[in-house]
Amino acid sequence: MVEYRTVFDAEVVFSNGGGLRTDGFRLDVPHPDVTDDEVAALLVRHLGLLMVGEVRITNRTVVEEPHKGGRGVEPPASGGRRLVELSHVITDGMVTLPGWPAPKVTDWLTREESRNRYAPGVEFHVARIDMIANTGTYVDMPSHRFADGPDLTGVPLDRLADLPGLVVRVPAGTRAVDRLMLAPYDVAGCAVLLHTGWDERFGTDAYAAAEAPYLTGDGAQWLVESGAALVGIDSINIDDMTPAAAGQRPAHTGLLAAGVPIVEHLTGLDALPPTGFRFTAAPLRVAGMGTFPVRAFAVV
């Protein structure tokens, strides 16, 4: 479905004095023939402005571009239930984190060998996988960072499954997702998914490049204070991995200390609407482990 946004300058005059000016503002619109008056009303609603006396719209154009979300335009009705896959496929020898061991997928029992165990015409295949827990799309639990934190068995399902979802579209070229970028969103009780587009590089050397997007410690703290239930990202790490960051990992520390699970290496977030979907990323219940791959998906 084609979606549209409008680009414009605006001058807002308040009835009780003062004003506000924007240049090159971008806003979701419901159709390409939107009028200046409609854009003015959408702007006021989107920003939550009170006591507005007048809005002057100038230099306005409409562009074909996916919606980024906001208060003005509700997600369109899909006409039915749709499942969206948000996980990378795990294959033999794949690379998730450069320099970390790749998974090995082999046979434990082949079909040919099984024929000697069962009645004529009956055969089975049993595969074996040897891998580290940080493989593919996976979830981090508090014990990943803190020795006394809950492991995969200690985090309740209501923090991992059937959560109301919210997508934060990160502008191209932006590295640091901070408090100001997150501030417009009502994240309480939600799975907050940071859509950076970095997943296009997954499986290549470019995936680990220095300019990979990340969540700042301040942004993580804002998510905790605002009541986010889970945070996910489609980049190589939710923290800055450059040498300048000195391995401090403030996003992991802040979120996991508050019991907020982290899902890393998501993919396909461009297929989701800004809101109006349910998100699930549940791992196996393995005692003593703080990370594990998940089948992350959304129900739209």
Side-chain angles (χ1 to χ4, degrees):
M1 183 175 180
V2 178
E3 294 179 327
Y4 298 93
R5 307 187 82 212
T6 184
V7 185
F8 59 93
D9 300 336
E11 184 178 358
V12 179
V13 180
F14 296 101
S15 59
N16 62 337
L20 176 70
R21 179 172 181 81
T22 69
D23 296 316
F25 198 90
R26 285 179 176 252
L27 196 63
D28 297 350
V29 292
H31 54 80
D33 301 320
V34 67
T35 66
D36 284 354
D37 288 343
E38 289 174 315
V39 171
L42 288 170
L43 177 65
V44 170
R45 183 180 177 191
H46 178 73
L47 296 180
L49 301 176
L50 301 176
M51 302 184 72
V52 174
E54 183 183 4
V55 179
R56 306 185 189 106
I57 303 294
T58 56
N59 301 323
R60 186 171 64 83
T61 59
V62 174
V63 295
E64 185 178 311
E65 188 176 275
H67 283 175
K68 299 297 188 289
R71 299 185 182 93
V73 178
E74 295 297 325
S78 64
R81 180 173 177 269
R82 178 168 58 96
L83 292 171
V84 181
E85 179 69 70
L86 303 174
S87 303
H88 289 288
V89 177
I90 295 177
T91 59
D92 180 63
M94 68 175 287
V95 175
T96 301
L97 296 164
W100 292 43
K104 297 179 181 179
V105 182
T106 57
D107 295 323
W108 182 80
L109 179 68
T110 67
R111 296 188 181 279
E112 292 75 13
E113 292 168 343
S114 75
R115 293 169 190 159
N116 297 323
R117 299 191 179 194
Y118 302 99
V122 179
E123 62 181 45
F124 294 96
H125 174 250
V126 180
R128 173 173 178 163
I129 183 167
D130 295 290
M131 67 179 185
I132 61 171
N134 293 40
T135 296
T137 303
Y138 55 80
V139 65
D140 292 345
M141 300 302 194
S143 69
H144 178 51
R145 173 66 178 82
F146 302 101
D148 58 351
D151 62 10
L152 295 172
T153 70
V155 176
L157 276 176
D158 61 9
R159 300 303 294 266
L160 300 165
D162 197 31
L163 292 165
L166 183 155
V167 176
V168 175
R169 309 286 187 200
V170 179
T174 299
R175 287 204 65 224
V177 180
D178 58 15
R179 180 181 294 252
L180 286 178
M181 188 173 294
L182 298 166
Y185 300 92
D186 181 5
V187 303
C190 290
V192 181
L193 310 180
L194 307 180
H195 175 212
T196 71
W198 203 253
D199 58 314
E200 295 180 356
R201 299 165 174 81
F202 186 83
T204 71
D205 292 341
Y207 192 58
E211 60 270 23
Y214 65 94
L215 176 67
T216 67
D218 185 58
Q221 187 59 41
W222 184 89
L223 289 169
V224 169
E225 294 169 355
S226 301
L230 175 149
V231 180
I233 192 169
D234 59 358
S235 186
I236 188 169
N237 199 296
I238 203 162
D239 271 299
D240 184 2
M241 292 180 65
T242 60
Q248 296 180 46
R249 302 296 191 265
H252 275 91
T253 300
L255 293 171
L256 295 178
V260 179
I262 300 167
V263 181
E264 294 177 306
H265 311 286
L266 286 164
T267 189
L269 296 180
D270 57 323
L272 294 179
T275 58
F277 62 92
R278 311 291 294 190
F279 177 79
T280 294
L284 297 178
R285 300 180 70 193
V286 184
M289 296 183 70
T291 63
F292 206 80
V294 294
R295 183 76 178 266
F297 65 91
V299 181
V300 181

